[in-house]
Amino acid sequence: MPTEAVYVVDRIKDDIVVLVDENERSIDAALHRFQVLLEEGLVLRVPIGDKGKPQWGKAEVDRQGEE
């Protein structure tokens, strides 16, 4: 099982974040679960918990390629 996944913020509507994973599948998550400021197009690295669920509160912005 992977220890982290990469998601792109597709859009934010009200208090729901729509993210797209590496396989182009979309998933909705509650905005309040994130500890980072989100905006459309942002790439996130999200740890995967013991039960295979994304740990949104531990998501980090992927800074690779910004230099």
Side-chain angles (χ1 to χ4, degrees):
M1 181 181 319
T3 59
E4 76 173 10
V6 176
Y7 293 89
V8 176
V9 177
D10 184 54
R11 63 189 175 278
I12 302 169
K13 181 163 175 144
D14 300 321
D15 61 347
I16 300 295
V17 180
V18 179
L19 302 120
V20 177
D21 71 9
E22 298 167 75
N23 297 313
E24 298 186 22
R25 292 179 295 208
S26 65
I27 186 171
D28 295 351
L31 182 60
H32 74 271
R33 299 192 63 197
F34 293 85
Q35 300 296 315
V36 295
L37 183 62
L38 300 180
E39 60 185 51
E40 291 180 11
L42 195 65
V43 178
L44 301 173
R45 291 195 170 278
V46 182
I48 302 299
D50 293 338
K51 296 182 181 179
K53 302 249 185 211
Q55 303 296 300
W56 302 123
K58 297 180 180 179
E60 295 182 357
V61 176
D62 182 2
R63 302 263 183 224
Q64 293 179 358
E66 285 189 2
E67 298 160 1

